[in-house]
Amino acid sequence: MAEKERQKTKKYNLDSFAEAYGLERGKHCCYGVWNGYRVHVKRVPFGNPACLVTVVTKANGKEEQLKKWLIRKKKELCITDSGVVGIGLMVCPKSSTDTWRRVAHILDTITAHLAKNGFAGADRCPYCGEELGKNCVEMSDSDIPFRAHEPCFEQAYLQIQAKRAEEAARKDKKPLATLGALLGGVLAAAIFAACWFWFSFGAPGALIGPFVGAWLYKKFGGKETVYKVLACGALTLVCTGAGYLVCLYVSAMADLGGYASAFAKIAADLATSGGATNLILNVVFSAVFALAAAGWLLRGYFKNKKSVGSVKRLD
């Protein structure tokens, strides 16, 4: 009992947490059996989400009941999101200095609830819910490792291949989707203008544009491709640049003074040290923010392409 209390108050990192609870280590993750259930914890400080906890089980028609229970426990468990998927349930703990102790509490609470309500544990196949016998394989689904019946594995593998073939055959509405990316750029320009007129620095708009553009690109029927990322990033840069020019023009027109045209006033303003500094700050940071957002989208694209929805044998 004293050792268990000590574990609850100890500060952990990924390695020490895995060692303390007898879990195996993987890249940015640990996994194993916790109170009779297969679990997987992925922790990437700058990931989205930063921490994802998975408990493997078979819901057997109790998916809605489990979803509602997780929602009711959201505050108590300090989780930001939760869901029930084909191989079990997933929750996202809030990031904090004691994330790992929170993960232990989450796993204890969830596994106790699952056991109490008869949900399948590590001794049963998460696909069919039947006891595991000799005809089993070590496998992973979306990089979550567990054991399953070989026929269940083969069926899951074929389903994934069918989904990929269906996605590949789906028509890519690239022109309409590009309009969605453009709307993200227009929003970025609007935010840029609002921020620039408020405190002369509009670059935050360039950080938001690619993400909104990517969301609209998908909503308008676009497929997950590298083009999507490039379109969202490039159109945000173009729209933000155009928005900056409009801001300079409007500001110059409002205060022409003795200048013959707004463009002459803009040139004169930018020739001053303050004007040049403002130009550099807005242009450089807009480019950096837009490229950083596009880089994040590109990272997510390759990550999802590699792991999400992938089924493979581990033995």
Side-chain angles (χ1 to χ4, degrees), residues 20 50 94 99 124 130 137 159 177 183 190 197 208 239 242 258 273:
K94 291 181 180 179
T99 295
R124 292 180 176 270
E130 298 298 323
V137 297
Q159 287 176 347
L183 291 176
F197 281 116
I208 298 170
C239 291
S273 59

PDB file of all heavy atoms in Angstrom, residues 20 50 94 99 124 130 137 159 177 183 190 197 208 239 242 258 273:
ATOM      1  N   ALA A  20       7.836   2.186 -13.747  1.00  0.00           N
ATOM      2  CA  ALA A  20       7.085   2.051 -12.487  1.00  0.00           C
ATOM      3  C   ALA A  20       5.872   1.132 -12.634  1.00  0.00           C
ATOM      4  O   ALA A  20       5.526   0.402 -11.709  1.00  0.00           O
ATOM      5  CB  ALA A  20       6.639   3.427 -12.001  1.00  0.00           C
ATOM      6  N   ALA A  50      -1.518  16.444 -27.292  1.00  0.00           N
ATOM      7  CA  ALA A  50      -0.219  16.248 -26.647  1.00  0.00           C
ATOM      8  C   ALA A  50      -0.133  14.887 -25.977  1.00  0.00           C
ATOM      9  O   ALA A  50       0.942  14.302 -25.870  1.00  0.00           O
ATOM     10  CB  ALA A  50       0.027  17.359 -25.622  1.00  0.00           C
ATOM     11  N   LYS A  94      -5.731  16.568 -20.092  1.00  0.00           N
ATOM     12  CA  LYS A  94      -5.234  17.937 -20.153  1.00  0.00           C
ATOM     13  C   LYS A  94      -3.740  17.944 -19.855  1.00  0.00           C
ATOM     14  O   LYS A  94      -3.265  17.212 -18.998  1.00  0.00           O
ATOM     15  CB  LYS A  94      -5.955  18.815 -19.120  1.00  0.00           C
ATOM     16  CG  LYS A  94      -7.416  19.073 -19.433  1.00  0.00           C
ATOM     17  CD  LYS A  94      -8.044  19.963 -18.374  1.00  0.00           C
ATOM     18  CE  LYS A  94      -9.519  20.227 -18.673  1.00  0.00           C
ATOM     19  NZ  LYS A  94     -10.153  21.066 -17.629  1.00  0.00           N
ATOM     20  N   THR A  99       0.983  15.389 -15.713  1.00  0.00           N
ATOM     21  CA  THR A  99       0.233  14.620 -16.704  1.00  0.00           C
ATOM     22  C   THR A  99       0.315  13.118 -16.456  1.00  0.00           C
ATOM     23  O   THR A  99      -0.691  12.402 -16.549  1.00  0.00           O
ATOM     24  CB  THR A  99       0.734  14.932 -18.123  1.00  0.00           C
ATOM     25  OG1 THR A  99       0.460  16.305 -18.433  1.00  0.00           O
ATOM     26  CG2 THR A  99       0.036  14.054 -19.159  1.00  0.00           C
ATOM     27  N   ARG A 124      -9.316 -11.243 -24.332  1.00  0.00           N
ATOM     28  CA  ARG A 124     -10.311 -11.399 -25.386  1.00  0.00           C
ATOM     29  C   ARG A 124      -9.935 -10.563 -26.613  1.00  0.00           C
ATOM     30  O   ARG A 124      -9.242  -9.554 -26.502  1.00  0.00           O
ATOM     31  CB  ARG A 124     -11.699 -10.987 -24.882  1.00  0.00           C
ATOM     32  CG  ARG A 124     -12.254 -11.931 -23.818  1.00  0.00           C
ATOM     33  CD  ARG A 124     -13.623 -11.500 -23.341  1.00  0.00           C
ATOM     34  NE  ARG A 124     -14.174 -12.471 -22.394  1.00  0.00           N
ATOM     35  CZ  ARG A 124     -14.919 -13.513 -22.738  1.00  0.00           C
ATOM     36  NH1 ARG A 124     -15.221 -13.707 -24.020  1.00  0.00           N
ATOM     37  NH2 ARG A 124     -15.374 -14.355 -21.829  1.00  0.00           N
ATOM     38  N   GLU A 130     -14.440 -12.509 -28.342  1.00  0.00           N
ATOM     39  CA  GLU A 130     -14.301 -13.883 -27.860  1.00  0.00           C
ATOM     40  C   GLU A 130     -12.924 -14.097 -27.229  1.00  0.00           C
ATOM     41  O   GLU A 130     -11.978 -13.357 -27.500  1.00  0.00           O
ATOM     42  CB  GLU A 130     -14.496 -14.866 -29.015  1.00  0.00           C
ATOM     43  CG  GLU A 130     -15.882 -14.800 -29.665  1.00  0.00           C
ATOM     44  CD  GLU A 130     -16.989 -15.163 -28.695  1.00  0.00           C
ATOM     45  OE1 GLU A 130     -16.769 -16.071 -27.865  1.00  0.00           O
ATOM     46  OE2 GLU A 130     -18.074 -14.545 -28.767  1.00  0.00           O
ATOM     47  N   VAL A 137      -2.587 -13.568 -33.258  1.00  0.00           N
ATOM     48  CA  VAL A 137      -1.420 -12.845 -33.765  1.00  0.00           C
ATOM     49  C   VAL A 137      -1.187 -11.602 -32.923  1.00  0.00           C
ATOM     50  O   VAL A 137      -2.114 -11.024 -32.375  1.00  0.00           O
ATOM     51  CB  VAL A 137      -1.607 -12.424 -35.249  1.00  0.00           C
ATOM     52  CG1 VAL A 137      -1.729 -13.646 -36.141  1.00  0.00           C
ATOM     53  CG2 VAL A 137      -2.809 -11.509 -35.414  1.00  0.00           C
ATOM     54  N   GLN A 159     -10.423  -4.784 -44.677  1.00  0.00           N
ATOM     55  CA  GLN A 159     -11.300  -3.620 -44.582  1.00  0.00           C
ATOM     56  C   GLN A 159     -10.521  -2.324 -44.776  1.00  0.00           C
ATOM     57  O   GLN A 159     -10.986  -1.399 -45.452  1.00  0.00           O
ATOM     58  CB  GLN A 159     -12.019  -3.618 -43.233  1.00  0.00           C
ATOM     59  CG  GLN A 159     -13.114  -4.654 -43.109  1.00  0.00           C
ATOM     60  CD  GLN A 159     -13.730  -4.691 -41.720  1.00  0.00           C
ATOM     61  OE1 GLN A 159     -13.198  -4.117 -40.768  1.00  0.00           O
ATOM     62  NE2 GLN A 159     -14.865  -5.372 -41.586  1.00  0.00           N
ATOM     63  N   ALA A 177     -12.303  22.766 -53.730  1.00  0.00           N
ATOM     64  CA  ALA A 177     -11.549  22.707 -52.479  1.00  0.00           C
ATOM     65  C   ALA A 177     -10.544  23.854 -52.399  1.00  0.00           C
ATOM     66  O   ALA A 177     -10.317  24.423 -51.327  1.00  0.00           O
ATOM     67  CB  ALA A 177     -10.833  21.363 -52.362  1.00  0.00           C
ATOM     68  N   LEU A 183     -10.624  30.932 -49.177  1.00  0.00           N
ATOM     69  CA  LEU A 183     -11.417  31.566 -48.123  1.00  0.00           C
ATOM     70  C   LEU A 183     -10.645  31.621 -46.809  1.00  0.00           C
ATOM     71  O   LEU A 183     -10.765  32.583 -46.045  1.00  0.00           O
ATOM     72  CB  LEU A 183     -12.732  30.804 -47.929  1.00  0.00           C
ATOM     73  CG  LEU A 183     -13.738  30.898 -49.082  1.00  0.00           C
ATOM     74  CD1 LEU A 183     -14.953  30.022 -48.811  1.00  0.00           C
ATOM     75  CD2 LEU A 183     -14.170  32.349 -49.302  1.00  0.00           C
ATOM     76  N   ALA A 190      -8.244  39.310 -43.383  1.00  0.00           N
ATOM     77  CA  ALA A 190      -9.153  40.107 -42.549  1.00  0.00           C
ATOM     78  C   ALA A 190      -8.616  40.238 -41.128  1.00  0.00           C
ATOM     79  O   ALA A 190      -8.660  41.324 -40.523  1.00  0.00           O
ATOM     80  CB  ALA A 190     -10.538  39.468 -42.545  1.00  0.00           C
ATOM     81  N   PHE A 197      -4.541  47.473 -37.864  1.00  0.00           N
ATOM     82  CA  PHE A 197      -5.141  48.770 -37.526  1.00  0.00           C
ATOM     83  C   PHE A 197      -5.235  48.960 -36.016  1.00  0.00           C
ATOM     84  O   PHE A 197      -5.301  50.095 -35.535  1.00  0.00           O
ATOM     85  CB  PHE A 197      -6.526  48.895 -38.160  1.00  0.00           C
ATOM     86  CG  PHE A 197      -6.496  49.239 -39.610  1.00  0.00           C
ATOM     87  CD1 PHE A 197      -6.985  48.355 -40.565  1.00  0.00           C
ATOM     88  CD2 PHE A 197      -5.963  50.446 -40.049  1.00  0.00           C
ATOM     89  CE1 PHE A 197      -6.949  48.666 -41.913  1.00  0.00           C
ATOM     90  CE2 PHE A 197      -5.918  50.774 -41.394  1.00  0.00           C
ATOM     91  CZ  PHE A 197      -6.412  49.872 -42.336  1.00  0.00           C
ATOM     92  N   ILE A 208      -3.366  31.645 -38.617  1.00  0.00           N
ATOM     93  CA  ILE A 208      -4.702  31.047 -38.577  1.00  0.00           C
ATOM     94  C   ILE A 208      -5.165  30.588 -39.959  1.00  0.00           C
ATOM     95  O   ILE A 208      -5.828  29.554 -40.104  1.00  0.00           O
ATOM     96  CB  ILE A 208      -5.696  32.058 -37.975  1.00  0.00           C
ATOM     97  CG1 ILE A 208      -5.300  32.383 -36.532  1.00  0.00           C
ATOM     98  CG2 ILE A 208      -7.125  31.531 -38.032  1.00  0.00           C
ATOM     99  CD1 ILE A 208      -6.068  33.538 -35.935  1.00  0.00           C
ATOM    100  N   CYS A 239      -2.861  36.248 -49.852  1.00  0.00           N
ATOM    101  CA  CYS A 239      -3.961  37.067 -49.311  1.00  0.00           C
ATOM    102  C   CYS A 239      -3.485  37.995 -48.194  1.00  0.00           C
ATOM    103  O   CYS A 239      -3.910  39.147 -48.104  1.00  0.00           O
ATOM    104  CB  CYS A 239      -5.073  36.170 -48.791  1.00  0.00           C
ATOM    105  SG  CYS A 239      -5.974  35.290 -50.091  1.00  0.00           S
ATOM    106  N   ALA A 242      -1.649  40.840 -49.817  1.00  0.00           N
ATOM    107  CA  ALA A 242      -2.606  41.776 -50.401  1.00  0.00           C
ATOM    108  C   ALA A 242      -3.308  42.583 -49.311  1.00  0.00           C
ATOM    109  O   ALA A 242      -3.526  43.793 -49.457  1.00  0.00           O
ATOM    110  CB  ALA A 242      -3.632  41.009 -51.233  1.00  0.00           C
ATOM    111  N   GLY A 258       0.600  66.473 -47.648  1.00  0.00           N
ATOM    112  CA  GLY A 258       0.957  67.198 -48.873  1.00  0.00           C
ATOM    113  C   GLY A 258       1.318  66.307 -50.021  1.00  0.00           C
ATOM    114  O   GLY A 258       1.833  66.783 -51.039  1.00  0.00           O
ATOM    115  N   SER A 273      12.662  54.977 -40.610  1.00  0.00           N
ATOM    116  CA  SER A 273      13.127  53.806 -39.850  1.00  0.00           C
ATOM    117  C   SER A 273      11.955  53.052 -39.228  1.00  0.00           C
ATOM    118  O   SER A 273      11.916  51.827 -39.215  1.00  0.00           O
ATOM    119  CB  SER A 273      14.109  54.237 -38.754  1.00  0.00           C
ATOM    120  OG  SER A 273      13.491  55.156 -37.860  1.00  0.00           O
TER     121      SER A 273
END
